Amino acid sequence: IAQRISSVREADQIIVVNEGRITGVGTHDELLAGNEEYKEIYESQESAASTGQTPAPQTPAPQSREEVSDNG
């Protein structure tokens, strides 16, 4: 499991999951050519890397119990 494409780029098979659903399966090159979601993530991460910025996460991180509870 990875959020950074650079971590899985050389994998034999990458599975793209969005909101618990598989939206693509293939190699890096196959997904770039045929999966718009993967391509958007890749371009976002590449753009951020070229400007020295950290790309924003594609999904919000889970909140801790302290952040969810107002009762302390």
Side-chain angles (χ1 to χ4, degrees):
I1 298 175
Q3 290 185 352
R4 302 276 184 247
I5 288 179
S6 61
S7 299
V8 297
R9 187 175 190 152
E10 300 299 322
D12 293 332
Q13 186 173 56
I14 301 167
I15 301 171
V16 181
V17 178
N18 184 17
E19 295 183 10
R21 297 182 60 185
I22 295 174
T23 60
V25 178
T27 65
H28 172 75
D29 291 334
E30 291 168 342
L31 290 167
L32 274 181
N35 184 285
E36 194 61 34
E37 183 174 29
Y38 185 85
K39 185 177 178 180
E40 288 175 13
I41 295 168
Y42 172 78
E43 289 173 351
S44 170
Q45 290 181 8
E46 286 297 301
S47 174
S50 68
T51 61
Q53 299 174 355
T54 302
Q58 298 300 314
T59 56
Q63 295 180 330
S64 69
R65 184 170 283 248
E66 293 81 26
E67 292 172 358
V68 174
S69 174
D70 290 333
N71 298 346

